[in-house]
Amino acid sequence: MTTRKPLASISATARFLPDNVLTNADLERMVDTSDAWIRERTGILERRIAPPEMGVVEMGKRAAQRALKKAGLTPDDVDVLIVTTATPDRLLPATACEIQAAIGASRGCYAYDLQAACTGFLYALSAAEGHIAAGQAETVLLVATEKMSVITNWEDRSSCILFGDGAGAVVVQPSRNGEGMLSSHHSSNGDLAPLLIRRAGGGALPLTPERLHNQEHMMEMSGPEIFKAAVKSMAGAGRKVMKDAGVTADDIDILVPHQANIRIIESTARYARIPMDRVFVNLQHYGNISSATIPVGLDEAIEGGRIGPGSVVLMTAFGAGLTWGATLVRW
Ligand code: ACO
């Protein structure tokens, strides 16, 4: 394995999932679907839905506090706070500033949002690495927090079965003993923006009673087109970061992919030549939590003993934009 010296590493992970569970049986009562169809076509059995009073700030706050505690840090230690979300509680100010206030992070820290839909976490990891490499930060807190239930059209059976709510957080710090990010590769293609879009609610199409009635402010998705693009882009990015770092699929201890659909995960793993027993999957419990799927997955994989010191971890993601990317880490 010939890899460059890592500059930054993930020193703690944490997650927060709301308690309320929405099962496939519940969805059968809401739209024309069946548990069998959802299981077979997506692999999802249930997802978490946050209550009305719990937004992304509250979920993100809880994940952030847990991550800082695990890292043995206080909110005062945070130099940069990056939040990824496609579902902010408010459009202004940045969710990151709200979470900064909620956790009582240092007033010297700077906080901003990064929007790359489901790929947000991997984009933000690279941003965190950049802050550390540039000497701007010793501690970056990265919070991925999503309330997909508020942008889901609950009358559209082809998309409402897929998504859930939750948050993950990680602490990124300078690499000390050769652990950390070995290589990353991210891309986007705005020509494919219409494949997953919320048309109304911004400056282009302000909300009107008619647009609200027509659910134009909710997610619209071309599922099969996204499916094809997702497999190709995640597998391609995964292969590129392995090549750049001089590692092969045999060196990968675990692939933690974005959790959108079990068939997308299986195809990506096949193209990347990584057997499924080395792939982390939790989408049966949570569905697609957008940018939070990977940090939640990392936290569960660590807790389950599947990631430990020295593990070589490949992460891949894709999302609206379209955006996609991969990051390779030695734990
Ligand atoms: N229950 C029953 N039948 C359904 C359902 C449902 N929930 N949804 C669709 N169908 C029907 C369709 O109407 C269609 O029927 P028809 O043949 O009579 O027209 C049939 O099932 C097949 O529909 P497809 O859309 O071709 O089904 P597909 O196998 O592609 O599965 C799915 C659809 C699950 C959406 C899949 O395409 C997918 O997972 N795509 C990726 C979506 C995704 O990951 N989006 C998130 C991107 S990340 C982000 O940024 C948020």
Side-chain angles (χ1 to χ4, degrees):
M1 227 161 89
T2 56
T3 53
R4 73 164 164 84
K5 200 169 167 295
L7 299 166
S9 67
I10 297 173
S11 49
T13 63
R15 64 186 189 275
F16 172 80
L17 281 317
D19 292 335
N20 181 38
V21 175
L22 183 75
T23 65
N24 291 349
D26 296 327
L27 281 165
E28 284 177 345
R29 290 187 282 275
M30 295 162 62
V31 286
D32 180 15
T33 191
S34 67
D35 174 48
W37 193 96
I38 301 172
R39 275 173 196 256
E40 191 195 317
R41 307 306 292 170
T42 73
I44 300 166
L45 308 183
E46 59 190 28
R47 62 293 285 147
R48 302 296 177 89
I49 304 293
E53 69 280 7
M54 181 181 281
V56 294
V57 171
E58 181 62 26
M59 289 190 284
K61 175 184 115 178
R62 297 195 194 192
Q65 287 172 329
R66 290 175 186 178
L68 288 174
K69 192 164 175 221
K70 280 181 170 177
L73 297 169
T74 70
D76 262 345
D77 296 315
V78 178
D79 300 313
V80 178
L81 170 53
I82 309 175
V83 170
T84 63
T85 187
T87 56
D89 292 350
R90 268 166 286 280
L91 296 180
L92 197 73
T95 302
C97 294
E98 294 198 73
I99 292 182
Q100 176 189 16
I103 64 173
S106 149
R107 295 303 179 260
C109 103
Y110 72 96
Y112 64 89
D113 288 2
L114 189 159
Q115 222 283 44
C118 302
T119 318
F121 177 73
L122 295 189
Y123 276 37
L125 262 188
S126 288
E129 184 186 30
H131 289 303
I132 285 167
Q136 296 166 339
E138 281 286 309
T139 299
V140 181
L141 176 62
L142 199 172
V143 183
T145 178
E146 306 278 9
K147 191 170 182 181
M148 299 305 286
S149 58
V150 294
I151 62 165
T152 297
N153 178 348
W154 291 102
E155 292 167 11
D156 174 11
R157 69 175 181 170
S158 66
S159 65
C160 75
I161 55 162
L162 297 174
F163 297 98
D165 303 336
V170 303
V171 174
V172 181
Q173 294 184 301
S175 171
R176 307 214 188 274
N177 300 306
E179 83 291 358
M181 285 168 244
L182 302 174
S183 61
S184 300
H185 175 73
H186 311 310
S187 301
S188 52
N189 179 357
D191 291 341
L192 300 179
L195 294 184
L196 183 45
I197 195 164
R198 293 175 68 198
R199 292 185 192 281
L205 293 180
L207 282 182
T208 60
E210 192 189 355
R211 288 184 184 134
L212 271 174
H213 176 78
N214 295 336
Q215 306 249 37
E216 288 174 52
H217 58 307
M218 296 300 185
M219 253 184 309
E220 267 175 47
M221 189 183 79
S222 308
E225 285 82 358
I226 292 178
F227 191 113
K228 278 179 241 147
V231 172
K232 207 169 135 223
S233 57
M234 284 207 292
R239 279 202 299 256
K240 170 135 180 64
V241 295
M242 286 194 277
K243 187 163 177 259
D244 289 351
V247 310
T248 69
D250 290 342
D251 297 314
I252 305 298
D253 292 306
I254 189 164
L255 166 65
V256 182
H258 173 49
Q259 310 281 314
N261 183 316
I262 190 65
R263 294 183 294 134
I264 293 176
I265 293 174
E266 285 169 351
S267 302
T268 303
R270 199 163 47 245
Y271 280 113
R273 300 208 164 81
I274 298 171
M276 280 306 287
D277 63 356
R278 284 194 271 133
V279 179
F280 183 83
V281 178
N282 65 0
L283 93 169
Q284 64 275 25
H285 303 304
Y286 308 130
N288 181 347
I289 331 171
S290 193
S291 68
T293 63
I294 294 181
V296 168
L298 290 175
D299 194 49
E300 291 194 336
I302 292 167
E303 211 168 86
R306 295 186 69 185
I307 295 177
S311 297
V312 178
V313 182
L314 176 63
M315 300 173 259
T316 55
F318 72 96
L322 293 186
T323 56
W324 63 93
T327 299
L328 187 69
V329 171
R330 188 192 298 116
W331 218 261

